Amino acid sequence: MNFRQVHLDFHTSEKIPGIGSRFSKEQFQSALKLGHVNSITVFSKCHHGWAYHPSEANEIHPGLDFDLLGAQIEAAHEIGVKTPVYLSAGLDEKMTRRHPEWLRRGKDDGINWNSPGYHEFCMNSPYLDYLIKQVEEVVRNYDCDGIFLDIVGVRMCWCQNCIKTLLDEGKDPYDDSNIRELGERIYKNYTTKIREAVDRIKPGLPVFHNSGHIRRGRRDLADVDTHLELESLPTGGWGYDHFPLSAAYSRTLGKDFLGMTGKFHTTWGEFGGYKHPNALRYEEALCVASGAKCSIGDQMHPDGYMDEVTYGLIGAAYAEVEEREPWLDGVTSVADIAILSEEAISNYYATGKIVHHGGADSDAGAVRMMLEGKYLFDVIDTEE
């Protein structure tokens, strides 16, 4: 897994014309070089549901008239940059109106159509087969270096498919423990089917399922991923406590992992906000000091032009990482102190506590003390 990655979001409404109209291979390559980038996650399908390439398993964005995904992969590979491919798995707003019966539902069987926002699909519905065909198409047709699937995880859902499953098993669908257990099975089935679909075409291709947080004490959930990507935008809701804590646990799991921050002043997709270069320098130094590779999130403009100010900011941080890489790869943690995670204990006893965007919980407080005291430590679970 490469050290200097960009996660290039491209969530683009069908109401926007001229998609990719200013894309240029030379300008795309120039931006990557300016940013010292050696891997960029590019888009097959966004939260709006559209494909950014010709597709039989999906529909190409109505404002796009060429194979943008293929052009990005070709341009990146020409200069030695890897290209994992992103598909929005849990969200597909185009399909919500066509198949609302596939959506996750609350205990009251309701869906909130009145508030702006996306609506999540249940993987215990025919939507899963629809998604798998899209993944297969990308793996078969493109020289991708991995698959990134977003907005997934163990869910509680009371859609008619989930209710029927439990009724057929003689279980009460309004007992939360039954719904929770079914959610675990549904997620396991989803990850198994995705892995099988990928391996039928390109065995061993890296796959990561993103839920925005690596749950401490749930090694079974981490095991479905070939590597871990710790989404942790400190100014975007996660806070500065989240990454060092998550990294201190993830480095005990024996997998390659990266820290994912953003170039944005606040959170995802904030076009007008540019994080100070020193913030990115600090965040990427923290990644490599924690044993992680690096990923910086960006959002490409709908016209396909790469913002050169952004890649100048990224380059300020990645030039320093690149210089130090010979001493950073293949490292192992050397720790004097182990912190038994409160979240891991909660997961062990199935009390359901998930520390995601949390700040001053006891795990974060303990990690703050370790960092400020300059102690060598890991965060562990009950299996360590």
Side-chain angles (χ1 to χ4, degrees), residues 8 24 33 87 95 115 119 163 231 238 261 280 355 374:
L8 187 64
S24 154
K33 291 175 183 177
L87 293 97
M95 296 303 288
S115 299
H119 305 85
I163 288 174
E231 184 180 7
W238 281 258
T261 184
L280 283 181
V355 182
K374 298 180 173 59

Side-chain angles (χ1 to χ4, degrees), residues 173-191:
Y174 294 99
D175 180 330
D176 285 4
S177 64
N178 291 333
I179 287 287
R180 190 173 294 111
E181 186 273 335
L182 178 60
E184 296 277 355
R185 282 191 281 146
I186 290 169
Y187 185 65
K188 180 64 175 176
N189 178 65
Y190 148 77
T191 59

Side-chain angles (χ1 to χ4, degrees), residues 33-230:
K33 291 175 183 177
L34 178 64
H36 293 256
V37 175
N38 61 7
S39 179
I40 184 165
T41 300
V42 288
F43 263 44
S44 164
K45 170 194 172 187
C46 74
H47 291 341
H48 294 275
W50 301 104
Y52 295 96
H53 53 89
S55 176
E56 295 180 2
N58 195 0
E59 298 168 46
I60 192 169
H61 191 292
L64 178 66
D65 60 7
F66 70 101
D67 186 348
L68 177 59
L69 175 65
Q72 290 174 322
I73 291 174
E74 179 183 350
H77 283 181
E78 194 173 280
I79 58 171
V81 176
K82 287 186 176 181
T83 54
V85 173
Y86 175 107
L87 293 97
S88 179
L91 304 178
D92 184 325
E93 199 62 17
K94 165 171 55 65
M95 296 303 288
T96 61
R97 303 288 176 173
R98 301 179 189 180
H99 289 284
E101 73 278 12
W102 294 355
L103 292 173
R104 278 184 64 209
R105 292 179 180 260
K107 204 168 188 177
D108 63 355
D109 197 37
I111 297 174
N112 185 359
W113 293 106
N114 297 318
S115 299
Y118 298 111
H119 305 85
E120 190 172 355
F121 283 89
C122 177
M123 296 298 181
N124 192 28
S125 74
Y127 175 78
L128 177 57
D129 294 328
Y130 173 73
L131 174 65
I132 287 172
K133 290 177 183 176
Q134 295 171 349
V135 173
E136 289 174 332
E137 182 177 66
V138 169
V139 176
R140 182 179 298 110
N141 293 348
Y142 293 94
D143 184 18
C144 56
D145 296 301
I147 294 292
F148 185 107
L149 295 158
D150 203 10
I151 319 294
V152 292
V154 177
R155 306 291 194 241
M156 296 179 71
C157 175
W158 285 265
C159 73
Q160 290 305 307
N161 295 300
C162 291
I163 288 174
K164 182 178 185 303
T165 296
L166 290 175
L167 288 175
D168 288 348
E169 295 172 352
K171 298 175 182 176
D172 179 3
Y174 294 99
D175 180 330
D176 285 4
S177 64
N178 291 333
I179 287 287
R180 190 173 294 111
E181 186 273 335
L182 178 60
E184 296 277 355
R185 282 191 281 146
I186 290 169
Y187 185 65
K188 180 64 175 176
N189 178 65
Y190 148 77
T191 59
T192 299
K193 286 194 169 184
I194 290 289
R195 186 71 258 174
E196 290 172 348
V198 170
D199 284 345
R200 281 194 295 269
I201 305 166
K202 290 184 180 177
L205 186 73
V207 175
F208 177 69
H209 305 271
N210 185 46
S211 62
H213 176 62
I214 304 301
R215 291 176 61 181
R216 298 185 285 283
R218 289 300 307 269
R219 294 188 177 211
D220 56 325
L221 298 182
D223 284 345
V224 303
D225 298 310
T226 53
H227 63 283
L228 303 176
E229 304 199 20
L230 313 187

Side-chain angles (χ1 to χ4, degrees), residues 181-307:
E181 186 273 335
L182 178 60
E184 296 277 355
R185 282 191 281 146
I186 290 169
Y187 185 65
K188 180 64 175 176
N189 178 65
Y190 148 77
T191 59
T192 299
K193 286 194 169 184
I194 290 289
R195 186 71 258 174
E196 290 172 348
V198 170
D199 284 345
R200 281 194 295 269
I201 305 166
K202 290 184 180 177
L205 186 73
V207 175
F208 177 69
H209 305 271
N210 185 46
S211 62
H213 176 62
I214 304 301
R215 291 176 61 181
R216 298 185 285 283
R218 289 300 307 269
R219 294 188 177 211
D220 56 325
L221 298 182
D223 284 345
V224 303
D225 298 310
T226 53
H227 63 283
L228 303 176
E229 304 199 20
L230 313 187
E231 184 180 7
S232 189
L233 282 64
T235 54
W238 281 258
Y240 275 96
D241 285 318
H242 181 266
F243 173 75
L245 168 53
S246 192
Y249 176 66
S250 297
R251 63 179 171 241
T252 70
L253 300 180
K255 291 178 179 282
D256 252 0
F257 70 102
L258 60 77
M260 181 190 293
T261 184
K263 71 93 178 182
F264 315 103
H265 182 63
T266 57
T267 193
W268 288 109
E270 183 211 4
F271 278 106
Y274 295 92
K275 187 175 284 181
H276 193 284
N278 285 351
L280 283 181
R281 290 175 62 215
Y282 167 76
E283 289 158 23
E284 301 321 313
L286 182 62
C287 281
V288 297
S290 303
K293 307 299 199 303
C294 307
S295 177
I296 298 174
D298 182 27
Q299 168 90 20
M300 188 167 68
H301 192 280
D303 66 14
Y305 191 84
M306 298 282 275
D307 181 53

